[in-house]
Amino acid sequence: MSQALDDRSESIRMIRDSAGAVAPRGGDTKRVRAQRFVAPGFSREVFAEMASLGWIGLAVPEAAGGAGLGMSEAVALTEVLGAGLVPEPLIPAMLSARLLAASDDKALLDSGKVVLTAWQEKADSIAAPGTGDAPRVFIPYAGGADVFLLPVREGNRIALVSLDATGADVVLEKTMDGGFVGTLRADLSRASRIADDIGAVLEHALDEAALATAGQMLGLMEKAFELTLGYLKTRQQFGRIIGTFQSLQHRAADLKIHIALTRAAVETAAAVLDDGATGAVRQAAVSKAKHRATESGMFVLRQCIQLHGGIGYTDEYDVGLYLRRGMVIMNQYGSAALHRRRFMALAPEDVE
Amino acid sequence: MSQALDDRSESIRMIRDSAGAVAPRGGDTKRVRAQRFVAPGFSREVFAEMASLGWIGLAVPEAAGGAGLGMSEAVALTEVLGAGLVPEPLIPAMLSARLLAASDDKALLDSGKVVLTAWQEKADSIAAPGTGDAPRVFIPYAGGADVFLLPVREGNRIALVSLDATGADVVLEKTMDGGFVGTLRADLSRASRIADDIGAVLEHALDEAALATAGQMLGLMEKAFELTLGYLKTRQQFGRIIGTFQSLQHRAADLKIHIALTRAAVETAAAVLDDGATGAVRQAAVSKAKHRATESGMFVLRQCIQLHGGIGYTDEYDVGLYLRRGMVIMNQYGSAALHRRRFMALAPEDVE
Amino acid sequence: MAVSIAPKEATDLNAMEDEAFRTHVRTWIEANYPAELRNPPKRLHWEENKPWYFQLAEKGWLCPGWPRQFGGLGLSPAKQIIFTEEIERHGCARTNDHGIVMVGPLLINHGTDAQQQEFLPKILNGEHVWCQGYSEPNAGSDLAALRTEAVLDGDEYVVNGQKIWTTLASDANWCFLLVRTDKNAKKQEGISFLLVDMATPGITVKPIINLEYHDEFCEVFFDNVRVPAKNLVGTPNRGWDMAKALLSFERIYLGSPRLSAYAFTRLRQLAERMGVWEEATFQDTYGRLRLDLEDLKSLYGTFVDKLRRGETLGADVSMLKVFQTELFQRITDTMLEIAGENAGLLEPMEGNRNLNPTGQYIQARPATIYGGSNEIQRNILSKNVLGLPG
Amino acid sequence: MAVSIAPKEATDLNAMEDEAFRTHVRTWIEANYPAELRNPPKRLHWEENKPWYFQLAEKGWLCPGWPRQFGGLGLSPAKQIIFTEEIERHGCARTNDHGIVMVGPLLINHGTDAQQQEFLPKILNGEHVWCQGYSEPNAGSDLAALRTEAVLDGDEYVVNGQKIWTTLASDANWCFLLVRTDKNAKKQEGISFLLVDMATPGITVKPIINLEYHDEFCEVFFDNVRVPAKNLVGTPNRGWDMAKALLSFERIYLGSPRLSAYAFTRLRQLAERMGVWEEATFQDTYGRLRLDLEDLKSLYGTFVDKLRRGETLGADVSMLKVFQTELFQRITDTMLEIAGENAGLLEPMEGNRNLNPTGQYIQARPATIYGGSNEIQRNILSKNVLGLPG
C-alpha cells in the first residue's frame, strides 16, 4: 500500500503542481468571490482548462480515452482545488466521465462539454435507484450543464441515458458558498440511451466521487487551518500574540491531529482503490475516509471560525468561505452517519 | 419550587450540620481507608449512629415513625456523606425504611437493624419484577445485613417478605472502593410476609434512592474538585503554579459548570418530589437528575485524576478514592443510558 | 429637583398576582405582535421592527425595568422575569434595545438631571434609537485596549477613531461610546462614556456583511467628530466601571436558554422532515441534547431565582453563557448532520422558515464569540470564581 | 578494537521475504508464549515474566533492534515492525524491557567499549534487569527540574535524592539514572547519565500502590549511594540530550493502537454479555469508536512507513500518543457505561478475564499522564510542529 504510494509519488507531485494553474498558490480568492451567485456559479473557461489538463478523465483508463491515473492522484488534485475553493464541478464531471467511458458515447468524454449525472433521488444518499420518473435532486451547478446523464432502472439492470440540457426542466437553489444546486425533472422521451448496464460502474463512480469529496474536504481543512495558524501567530490581544495562549495552542494541536487523521484515512483509501479493491473492501475504505473527512472536517472548520473571533464571522475575511464550502460538500455523496452505518454493515473481514 | 427550597433552607442546613458527626469536616479519610475490604465493609457503630440521628427514616412521615423530612434534606445529606466517602449503606436502608413504613412490621424500622432490600434481578435496572425464585443481585454491603426484604410478585401485586439474614445464601464480591456487593439466593420458605401490595411504594422508593444516589455523586464531584483546585493552586511545574496554565484553568472552568448543572438538576428534582409529584412527573425529574449526575459526575472525577497527574493514580492520594466510589455508584439505580431512555419515553407535557 | 417622567401605563402592575400578570402580558403580546415576525431567522432592522417598538412605547411597556419615576413600568425583578419569559415564549424579535437596557439604566444611575430630562423621554417614545460603540479592531476581547480618542476642545470633545461590531449602527440615530480621554493613564483608566448624535458630521457607518450574508454589524468611523462636553456621562476617565456594570445584563441575557430551546424545536421538525426522527440513534442524540437543555433551564432558574430575590449576580453567571452558546452550536451541528445536502442551502428548505438548518447553524457561530468570547468567560470563571492564580 | 558480541540467532532473518518472516515469528511465538499470560490485565512482575524473557534470550530474539555486532537480531526497520506487530497481535505481555529498548541503544551509541562489553551481554542473557530513574516528585512533566544529585568523590559519584514512578524498580537489579552533576548550570545542562547497581548500599525501593491496587510503580530513595565514575555514560553534564533521544522510542510505542485495539475487542464481548450489542444506539457508539480506531491505525501506519524507510520521526509523533490514549479512555469509559453495577467490581466479571471493564478502565487512566502527559504532548505539537510562539 505505502509502497504503491511511493511509486506514485511522482505523478502525485505533478498533479499537485499542475493544479496551480487553476488554484492560485497564494490562495487568492478574488476569482472565487467574483463568481459567487453569478449563474451558473462557475467559469466555463476554467472548466474547459481543467478538461484540457486531462482532469475530467483523470482516473479513466487510457484505453478508454482517460489519463489512466488513479485515486491517489485524484484526491491530491481535489485537495489542492479544495484548498483553492475552486467552484468548478470537477468531481461530478469525473463521475460522468467514468460512466461515459463505459457507454456507447465515448465521444462525449472529450467533447469539452459539461456533463453532469443526475443520479440522486433523495437527500443523503450514495445509491442510485434509477427510478425513471423521479425528480433528480441536488445536482451541483446544474445550471451550467450541457448534457445530463440519467441512470434509469430496467428490471435488474440500470441503463444510462443522456439528455441535452437545453430546454430541460431544471429548478435551481442557491448554496451557502455562492453556488447552485438543481432539481431536474427529465423528459425521458427526449433522451438517448447510451449504455445498457451501468449499475456496477455507477456504484464504483459514486465511491470514487465520495472519496474525491473527502479529498476536497481535506484541502478545505488544511487551508483554513493554515489561515488560522497565521492569525494566531500575528493577532494581538491583551498585549500578547494570541497564539501564546495555551488554551488556543492546545486547540490548534487538536485540529492538527484531526487533519492528520483525515489525510491518513483519505490517502490510505485512495491506495486501496488504486490496488484494485472492489466490493466491500472498496466500500469500507471509502466510507472510512468520507466519514472522517466529514466529522473532522466540520470540526476543524468550526474551530477555525472560533479561533478567528469576530473577524471569522465576516464575509470579508476568507476563513468563512471555507466553512460555507464545507457545509455544501459535507453531506455530498453521503453524510458521516450514512458512511458510518455502511462501514458497520460490512463484514469485519472485508474491512480489515 | 424555589420558594419551597427557601422554606426548607433551615432544615437543610441542620441536616448538613448534623452530617458532620459521621463525615468529618476536614475530609479525614482515615476511617474510610481502614474500613476497606474489611467485612462487612462498613461500621455497624456508625450505622447505628445514623439511625439514632433519624436518617434512615428521614423521608418517612412522622406518623409512620420517620423524621417527616423530604428529598431536599435527603440529597443534602447524601451529598455531605458522599463528599465524606462514608461507606455505610444509608441509601439502601432509607429505601427499606420506605417499605417498612408501608408494611405490617413497622417495628423493624426502629430496631436499629441493618435492613436491606433485595429487589434487583439484573444489572442496570430500576424496576423490581419480583420474580420469587430469581437470585437478587448487587445488594450493597449484603454481608452486613441483619434482615433482607424481598419484593415477590403475586399476580398483579407485589408482596413484601422479610428474611433473617442469618444463614441466608449470600455470595459477596469486592467492589473498587473497598466495599462489597452480594447476591442472595433466598429460601422463601423461611421468609415472613409483611405487606401485600408494595409495588407503588417500591417504585417511589427506587426513584428516591436514584435521586439520593445522584446527591451522593454530587458530593463526590464537589469534594474531588475541591481537592483538585487545591492541588492546582499549590503544585509547581516548570517553575510555575500549575493553576496558572490556561489549558488547566479552562478545564477547571468546565468542571465547575458540570458541577453546577448537576446541583441544579438534583436540587430541582428534590423540590419536585417534595412538592408531591407522582408518576411521570416524578420519574422525569429523577431521571434527569440521575442522568446528569452520572454523566457529569464521571466526567468530573476522571478529569480530577488527570489534573493531578501521576499522583492522582496512586492509592495513597485521596482523589482516587472518589473515582473508585464513583465507579461503584454510577450505575446504581440505573445508568445514564437507562435514565435517558426513561426520560425520553415520557410525554413532553409530563416532563416540562 | 429630581427628574420625574410620567409613566404611560397608569396601573402599577406589581400589584397583580404573578399568574394573572403573566396572562395579562401574554394576552396583550398575542394580540399585538405581528405573526410574521415570530422567531425571525435574522436580527431585524429598525424598519421591520419599529411598528412593534412603537406599540410597546405607546402601551408604556417599552422599558419594563425602569422605575416609574422615570417613565418605566417599574416592574419588580420577579415580574420582569415573567415579562421576559412571555416575550421569549412568543418568539418576539429582539428590538433595537440598547437605549432601553443600556443607556436608560446608565443615565438613571449616573446621568445628570439634564441628561435624564433630555434623553430618557426620547428613548421611551422611540425617537432615539441607540447603538453601542464599544469594540474596536484591536480591542475586541481586550476591550480596555480601545484607542478611539476624545480630546476636549473648548466645550466640545473631538472624537477620532473606529468602532467595529456595532450592532445595527446603520439603524441608530444615537450612539453611546467608550472613548479614551486620557492617553497617559493606565489601560482601564482614562476611558470615558460619551453620547453621540449619529448625524454629527464626520461619522461614517459601514455595514459588515457576515457569514449569513446579513449586515447586522457595522464599522463606525469617527473623523474629527465634535461632541458637546455635556454629553459625557459620569466622571471623566471613569467610564470603564460603568461599562462593565452594563455588561452584566448581557451575560445573563446570553445565558438564557431561549436560543437553544428555539433551535431545539426546529431540530425535531427537521428530523421529522428528513425521516430520521424515529431512528434510535437520532433519539439518543436528541435525548442527550434535550437533557442538556433541561439542565441548562434548571441552572438558569437558580440564577433567575437570585434576581427574583433582588440579589446581584456574581461572575459565575458566565457558566450560563458558556454552556448555552455551546449547546446552541451542538444543536445546530446536529441539524447539518441530518440535513443531507440541505446542509448547503442558502435559503430555508422548501420555503419553510421552520426548516432552516443552515440559517440556524450560521447564527449559532458567533454566539461563542460575542459578549465576551467563551475563552474570556472561562478565564473569568477560573480566576474570579475558582480563584485560580494569574 | 570495537566490541563484538556473537548473536545467538545464526540466521540473518532480514534475508527472508516479509510474509515468510511474519509466519516464522508468529509460529514461534504461538509455540512458546505461555497461553495464560496472553493480554494480562496488569503489568507483569519479573517472576511471572521471566520464563518468556529467558526463552526470547535463549532464542536470540530478545533484542530485535540491536545490531548483530552487539549480539542483537539486527532486524531492518521493516522487519522490526513485523516482529512488533506479531508480538502485539498475540497479546504478549510487555517484558521488563528497559535494558533492551533504552540501555542497550544508549550504550551502543554512547557507551565506552568497556561499558558495552560489561553490560550488553548481561542484558542479552537476562542477567541484568533494568529500571529507569527519570521522574522525581517535583520533576514529573518538568523532567529537567530533577534534583537528585551526584557529586564526584574520588573515582566515585555519591548520589542523593529520590526518584518516583520508577516502573518495576522492585524487579530490577540495575538502574539507569538521570542525576544532576552541575548544580550551577542551566536547568537542562548539568544533567548526567549514571548506571547504578541496585544492590549498592543506600538504595531503598518502596512500591507505590496505584488505583488498580497494584504495585507497578515505585519510589526509589538514594542515600549516599556510591557509584563508580566509570558508570557515567557519555559526556558529563550532557545527559539530557541522550535522555530525550531515548524518549522518542516511547512516543511511538505509546501511540501504537494495540491498547485501544485490545480494549475494543473486549468492549464487544462486554456488550454481548450485557445484552446491548444489538441495540442501534450502542452500534452507533461502537461504530464511532471503531472508525476512530481504524483511522488511528491508518495514521500510525504513516509513521511506521517512515520508520520502515529508515527515516527518523519528528515531534508530530506526539499526535499518536494523544489520540491513542484518549481513544483508549473513551473505549473504557463506554465499558463502564454499559456494564451496569459491574462498573464497580474489583475483579473481572464471573471470573472471566475478558470481561474486566473496571480493570481496563483503571488501566486507561494513567495513559494520558505517563510518557509525557497529554498536556505536554499538546505543548510539543503547538510549539515544535505548528510553530506557535512561546
Side-chain angles (χ1 to χ4, degrees), chain A residues 11-19 55 58 69 73 76-77:
Chain A
S11 59
I12 291 170
R13 193 190 57 71
M14 282 174 61
I15 273 287
R16 283 184 189 275
D17 283 352
S18 75
W55 295 352
L58 184 87
L69 295 169
E73 291 82 5
L77 177 60

Side-chain angles (χ1 to χ4, degrees), chain C residues 4 10 23 55 71 106 129 146 244 247 281 283 303 308 329:
Chain C
S4 177
T23 308
Q55 218 148 0
L106 177 76
V129 177
L146 63 87
K244 260 180 55 181
L247 285 176
T281 52
Q283 282 288 315
F303 284 94
R308 190 176 281 130
Q329 292 190 341

Side-chain angles (χ1 to χ4, degrees), chain B residues 120 124 176 238 306 315 324, chain D residues 142 209 211 213 341 344 368:
Chain B
Q120 192 168 6
D124 196 8
M176 284 300 301
F238 303 101
Q306 178 70 21
D315 183 59
R324 286 195 288 216
Chain D
D142 183 14
I209 305 299
L211 289 189
Y213 299 103
E341 282 81 350
T368 49

Side-chain angles (χ1 to χ4, degrees), chain A residues 120 124 176 238 306 315 324, chain C residues 142 209 211 213 341 344 368:
Chain A
Q120 191 168 6
D124 196 7
M176 284 300 302
F238 304 101
Q306 178 70 22
D315 183 59
R324 286 196 287 217
Chain C
D142 184 13
I209 304 298
L211 290 188
Y213 298 103
E341 283 81 351
T368 50

Side-chain angles (χ1 to χ4, degrees), chain C residues 116-129:
Chain C
Q116 292 173 351
Q117 248 143 0
E118 177 177 356
F119 292 107
L120 297 183
K122 290 175 180 166
I123 294 172
L124 285 160
N125 69 13
E127 187 180 334
H128 283 182
V129 177

Side-chain angles (χ1 to χ4, degrees), chain D residues 89-242:
Chain D
R89 205 193 56 83
H90 195 70
C92 301
R94 184 171 177 181
T95 57
N96 302 53
D97 58 5
H98 279 120
I100 302 161
V101 299
M102 308 284 266
V103 180
L106 177 76
L107 292 181
I108 289 167
N109 288 316
H110 304 285
T112 60
D113 283 4
Q115 286 170 337
Q116 291 173 351
Q117 249 144 359
E118 177 178 358
F119 291 106
L120 297 182
K122 291 176 180 163
I123 293 173
L124 286 160
N125 68 15
E127 186 180 331
H128 282 182
V129 177
W130 287 82
C131 64
Q132 166 189 293
Y134 276 23
S135 293
E136 299 185 6
N138 288 301
S141 289
D142 183 14
L143 184 55
L146 64 88
R147 291 192 300 194
T148 294
E149 66 171 341
V151 177
L152 196 61
D153 178 27
D155 59 354
E156 289 178 327
Y157 282 101
V158 181
V159 179
N160 279 287
Q162 182 195 348
K163 294 291 175 181
I164 195 170
W165 313 124
T166 315
T167 305
L168 298 177
S170 49
D171 288 347
N173 46 23
W174 277 80
C175 180
F176 59 105
L177 203 61
L178 284 181
V179 290
R180 188 162 297 285
T181 39
D182 183 351
K183 282 163 78 171
N184 301 316
K186 278 200 310 184
K187 210 166 149 190
Q188 276 88 346
E189 297 164 19
I191 291 176
S192 300
F193 232 115
L194 272 191
L195 308 179
V196 182
D197 185 340
M198 292 292 280
T200 321
I203 297 181
T204 314
V205 175
K206 194 179 141 208
I208 300 169
I209 305 299
N210 65 21
L211 289 189
E212 292 185 87
Y213 299 103
H214 186 55
D215 59 353
E216 174 179 346
F217 303 111
C218 299
E219 291 175 287
V220 185
F221 298 88
F222 298 86
D223 179 17
N224 287 318
V225 175
R226 301 190 75 87
V227 180
K230 68 179 169 64
N231 283 8
L232 187 141
V233 183
T235 315
N237 300 327
R238 285 285 167 271
W240 179 249
D241 293 331
M242 290 186 286

